Amino acid sequence: MNFSTLGLMPSLADSARALRFEAPTPIQQAALPSALAGQDLLATAPTGSGKTAAFALPLLQRLLSTPVPQRRTRALVLVPTRELAAQVGEVLRALTQPLNAGQRTAVLFGGVSINPQLMGLRGGADVVVATPGRLLDVVRHNALRLDAVQTLVLDEADRLLDLGFATELDEVLALLPAQRQTLMFSATFDERIRTLAERLLHQPHRIDLPAEGADAPPVLQRAIAVDSTRRTALLRHLLDTLQPDRALVFVASQHAADHVAAKLNKQDRYATPFHGGLSQGARQEVLAEFRQKRWDVVVTTDLASRGLDIEDMPLVVNYDLPRSADDHVHRIGRTGRAGRSGQAISFVTAAALAQWNLIQKRQGMSLPLEVLPGFEPQESPPEPGPGHGGIKGQRPSKKDKLRAAAAAAAAAAGGTPPVKPPGR
Ligand code: AMP
């Protein structure tokens, strides 16, 4: 199968080929025919599956096949993060550049001065890729009108909701024509996404690509038991033995990212932190340098777990486990992109074992917990108690709470808690 047989115009099929997209990925095969026919779309697809081109190509085809005398913004792509905005903008520009059709794409995101973005909009833009907050700012500056938008894309819709953009989303939707095509993509599908889809989409073509399966990228997942104090040594051991040409390491905090990167640096690794505490400029620089393979290791927080598209990332390490199973899916999605193989290794300390079991359960997987020679764990799990509240899904049950309340009341009355008589 090739792009032309899916209904893509020859010039865009050539542009895709120029990006070395020889054959359409499964999400592109599933999305293109209906999206090109103007239908709404609701697609659940794993990260790294090629979803950007799955919406970019149809929206560009619509622009190119219905030229207008005056430039107006006819396509809007809403994304949750700056990194994703920059990345989607790059793909759109790369696809339009060989066409010489004069299509302009504007990319708008917060955290940087608004002025260059306002200046960039002076001649208008056919396509706007934006995070919701900055988009609204730009509209309030009268630098952009959205009343001619024909195609709306919500990319990583679940993340838009996770990051609290629901109100901004409503404000943006109020500025758009009711008559339009809407393409909605989400890595996960839950009640919130279903409700949003029901509100926004008209008889959508539903695509649900499994995260695992014949077409899924070949990611080898491993879990290694280790003491918390030995994690940096284990990381170093893995880098020495697996010799990946790059690795992305996830930690729980900005401080930990700085700390682990500094420790690796001392051990002659080119490692750098990447997190929300860095300026936008510094973050973009790290990303560009990582792409050029100038860093061996980037140590990051969950900021980078979505929207970070580095081709050919052979190793992802969960130095600290993520708080939720969803975040785990997105971290893992940084490797094995577009069919390239990769390894995702989770470090499991005694204190994090309960959390790991929960993540596995939510994902319906059960990995053997490896113990590597020289890294045999000595730590024992902490006593269950009030300090346990940080794990999603590990809150005390109603029964636990009733028991605790009864015990507390009995203690206050100077008695002993009620005991269930034996045999009942
Ligand atoms: P995405 O899910 O859009 O972030 O894409 C993930 C990766 O797949 C990116 O590095 C794309 O450049 C690459 N990609 C997208 N479509 C194709 C294709 N048809 N053939 C090969 N690589 C692709």
Side-chain angles (χ1 to χ4, degrees):
M1 184 175 304
N2 61 38
F3 282 106
S4 303
T5 53
L6 295 172
L8 199 65
M9 53 172 52
S11 56
L12 277 176
D14 287 346
S15 290
R17 255 192 301 281
L19 291 183
R20 287 193 268 142
F21 297 177
E22 301 294 341
T25 64
I27 180 76
Q28 293 159 5
Q29 288 175 30
L32 254 56
S34 53
L36 287 169
Q39 208 182 332
D40 282 2
L41 197 70
L42 172 56
T44 330
T47 49
S49 52
K51 65 184 166 55
T52 315
F55 63 74
L57 291 167
L59 77 80
L60 290 174
Q61 177 141 325
R62 186 160 184 183
L63 290 186
L64 294 166
S65 50
T66 51
V68 285
Q70 207 188 352
R71 193 191 304 280
R72 306 188 67 184
T73 299
R74 292 194 286 153
L76 173 65
V77 184
L78 285 178
V79 294
T81 63
R82 312 157 185 194
E83 281 76 23
L84 190 57
Q87 199 176 295
V88 170
E90 259 175 46
V91 173
L92 280 159
R93 285 177 182 146
L95 286 170
T96 43
Q97 199 246 337
L99 304 172
N100 281 326
Q103 304 292 335
R104 286 183 63 185
T105 299
V107 178
L108 311 173
F109 49 79
V112 293
S113 162
I114 196 170
N115 293 329
Q117 294 177 2
L118 296 176
M119 302 262 281
L121 281 169
R122 277 206 179 141
D126 305 276
V127 185
V128 169
V129 182
T131 53
R134 176 53 61 94
L135 178 71
L136 289 168
D137 279 351
V138 167
V139 170
R140 283 184 206 114
H141 277 83
N142 289 323
L144 180 67
R145 292 176 61 128
L146 299 174
D147 54 1
V149 168
Q150 298 168 333
T151 309
L152 168 69
V153 179
L154 293 186
D155 192 9
E156 299 198 352
D158 50 348
R159 193 64 166 167
L160 276 165
L161 297 180
D162 285 348
L163 293 178
F165 281 128
T167 315
E168 281 94 343
L169 203 56
D170 284 343
E171 281 181 55
V172 173
L173 292 171
L175 301 170
L176 302 177
Q179 191 76 294
R180 58 163 196 267
Q181 181 184 27
T182 305
L183 310 175
M184 188 162 146
F185 289 79
S186 180
T188 52
F189 188 76
D190 58 21
E191 202 44 48
R192 300 169 316 156
I193 296 293
R194 190 197 314 276
T195 311
L196 185 64
E198 275 167 11
R199 262 180 59 206
L200 290 190
L201 306 178
H202 176 66
Q203 296 183 343
H205 175 208
R206 178 85 173 86
I207 298 170
D208 194 1
L209 283 192
E212 302 285 334
D215 294 321
V219 178
L220 171 66
Q221 285 207 53
R222 296 171 61 190
I224 303 178
V226 62
D227 281 344
S228 54
T229 51
R230 297 278 287 145
R231 284 176 299 174
T232 310
L234 175 60
L235 177 58
R236 193 168 172 219
H237 170 77
L238 291 172
L239 293 171
D240 286 345
T241 50
L242 299 174
Q243 302 205 327
D245 65 354
R246 278 176 305 178
L248 188 62
V249 176
F250 284 97
V251 293
S253 66
Q254 295 183 2
H255 173 73
D258 292 337
H259 183 69
V260 173
K263 268 174 133 178
L264 289 172
N265 267 324
K266 274 200 200 132
Q267 296 163 349
D268 293 335
R269 290 275 169 192
Y270 290 105
T272 187
F274 178 75
H275 54 63
L278 302 176
S279 71
Q280 179 64 12
R283 276 157 55 176
Q284 275 169 351
E285 202 175 319
V286 171
L287 280 187
E289 289 173 349
F290 199 27
R291 283 204 178 96
Q292 294 156 9
K293 305 198 177 175
R294 285 177 54 196
W295 295 110
D296 299 333
V297 184
V298 164
V299 188
T300 186
T301 57
D302 274 305
L303 171 79
S305 70
R306 297 225 192 185
L308 179 80
D309 177 25
I310 308 259
E311 279 183 43
D312 200 13
M313 175 66 64
L315 180 64
V316 168
V317 175
N318 283 329
Y319 185 102
D320 286 316
L321 291 180
R323 283 204 64 226
S324 74
D326 277 356
D327 280 338
H328 185 69
V329 172
H330 295 296
R331 287 184 179 189
I332 300 299
R334 304 304 98 204
T335 185
R337 293 172 81 78
R340 292 180 187 93
S341 65
Q343 272 199 53
I345 302 180
S346 296
F347 289 0
V348 182
T349 61
L353 186 62
Q355 189 177 353
W356 175 242
N357 288 337
L358 200 69
I359 289 172
Q360 291 203 94
K361 196 171 150 200
R362 294 265 159 87
Q363 284 191 227
M365 64 178 189
S366 172
L367 296 179
L369 195 54
E370 298 173 42
V371 174
L372 300 193
F375 294 94
E376 293 82 359
Q378 310 294 324
E379 291 169 357
S380 45
E383 291 293 314
H388 222 62
I391 304 170
K392 276 192 185 169
Q394 283 288 299
R395 296 184 192 94
S397 68
K398 219 173 178 181
K399 263 191 193 160
D400 290 339
K401 281 185 194 160
L402 284 174
R403 259 187 230 122
T416 49
V419 177
K420 242 178 157 186
R424 287 236 196 130

